[in-house]
Amino acid sequence: MLITTCPKCAYQRLPTDTHIHEGVCPACGIAYQKFLDRQSQPTPEPAIVLAATPVGHWTARLLASPSKVDEVAFWSRAIAWCAFVLWTGWFAKNGIDWELINGSFLHAIILPFHEFGHVLFMFFGRFLHILGGSLFQVLMPLGLLAVFLFKQRDTFGASVMLWWAGQSLVDLSPYVADAVYRVVPLVGGGDDEGHDWGNLLTMLDLLDHTLALARLCFGVGLLVMLAGLAWGFLLLRLQYAKMLSTKHGTD
């Protein structure tokens, strides 16, 4: 069939176009039949490429597990996780109790970091100097979390550090609650004028909300501890499945 009208640009061939092959459009240069053949073929669906989203990237990083799960190491982590569960329940059951929370050996570990925080922030004004102790005792385990997650590639260790950050908030709650009464013994036997939260809440005019802030501190801390436990549980499940698959693969 002789085609005289271009199916692409609709150019109508003229009698003077004899110098151009009759199967080629003198205007746009396409080959008529090849163009029609391509048009008649079904267009394939474009392949959908799922880019690595930030959410997917972070999920993979947070749930990463060793390429080979050592059985002894796994059960050690599982026993430690169970101990942290019981410890969390103990903190939740007793609430904001100064004698119990400050009597925990973790308080003795946290205290030097608290005091170092005052030194670290002493050059940033009186408010941050006072707040620095409480701030640093929470930031310190979060810093260790980053080390475990990005440098050591130990996600379970990172989950324990998240739990510790929550426990550090719980550790602060009796100190916040004592802002009005100022009866908690201070390091070095200082007088009540050196009470961090008594001074902070006075400066912020929030002494009337002391108990509510203490409960908030305790509640947020408990939620962070539970988040650390949930993260650790997911990691243990994944590691257990990998351990079983490796074991069965070698049997």
Side-chain angles (χ1 to χ4, degrees):
M1 180 181 66
L2 181 63
I3 300 174
T4 58
T5 301
C6 178
K8 181 180 180 182
C9 67
Y11 175 79
Q12 182 72 39
R13 290 185 68 91
L14 301 175
T16 56
D17 291 331
T18 54
H19 61 292
I20 304 295
H21 190 278
E22 64 182 15
V24 176
C25 175
C28 65
I30 67 161
Y32 296 141
Q33 195 57 50
K34 288 183 179 179
F35 179 81
L36 291 173
D37 290 343
R38 285 198 302 269
Q39 293 297 102
S40 62
Q41 293 176 358
T43 304
E45 291 291 332
I48 300 175
V49 179
L50 296 177
T53 63
V55 172
H57 170 75
W58 279 106
T59 300
R61 182 179 288 275
L62 294 175
L63 297 180
S65 59
S67 56
K68 183 178 181 181
V69 179
D70 179 77
E71 190 168 352
V72 174
F74 170 80
W75 289 112
S76 298
R77 295 186 194 108
I79 292 170
W81 183 85
C82 291
F84 286 120
V85 169
L86 294 175
W87 213 351
T88 303
W90 182 81
F91 280 116
K93 176 178 178 293
N94 290 296
I96 305 174
D97 187 310
W98 174 81
E99 290 186 355
L100 290 175
I101 292 176
N102 286 25
S104 167
F105 87 90
L106 272 177
H107 178 72
I109 296 174
I110 289 172
L111 192 56
F113 294 103
H114 178 100
E115 295 306 317
F116 177 75
H118 289 304
V119 177
L120 185 64
F121 287 92
M122 67 185 299
F123 303 105
F124 299 96
R126 183 168 181 264
F127 185 84
L128 276 179
H129 181 201
I130 298 172
L131 179 63
S134 300
L135 188 61
F136 189 72
Q137 77 173 63
V138 177
L139 291 179
M140 182 273 300
L142 291 177
L144 292 176
L145 184 157
V147 172
F148 275 105
L149 188 61
F150 297 106
K151 187 175 181 180
Q152 302 297 330
R153 306 289 182 181
D154 181 354
T155 46
F156 186 79
S159 73
V160 173
M161 293 303 103
L162 181 61
W163 181 92
W164 193 10
Q167 194 279 327
S168 293
L169 283 169
V170 168
D171 182 84
L172 281 174
S173 60
Y175 201 8
V176 178
D178 189 55
V180 174
Y181 307 104
R182 305 195 184 197
V183 295
V184 171
L186 303 179
V187 174
D191 57 29
D192 60 5
E193 294 300 321
H195 195 290
D196 291 353
W197 284 96
N199 289 322
L200 288 171
L201 297 185
T202 298
M203 294 166 71
L204 294 170
D205 195 23
L206 291 174
L207 275 178
D208 291 340
H209 304 283
T210 295
L211 186 56
L213 291 171
R215 287 173 175 168
L216 177 64
C217 186
F218 182 88
V220 171
L222 199 59
L223 288 175
V224 174
M225 293 168 75
L226 292 173
L229 291 175
W231 184 11
F233 178 74
L234 287 175
L235 292 169
L236 289 174
R237 282 191 60 186
L238 292 170
Q239 291 179 20
Y240 182 70
K242 182 175 286 188
M243 185 176 67
L244 285 183
S245 63
T246 303
K247 186 175 181 181
H248 292 160
T250 57
D251 287 345

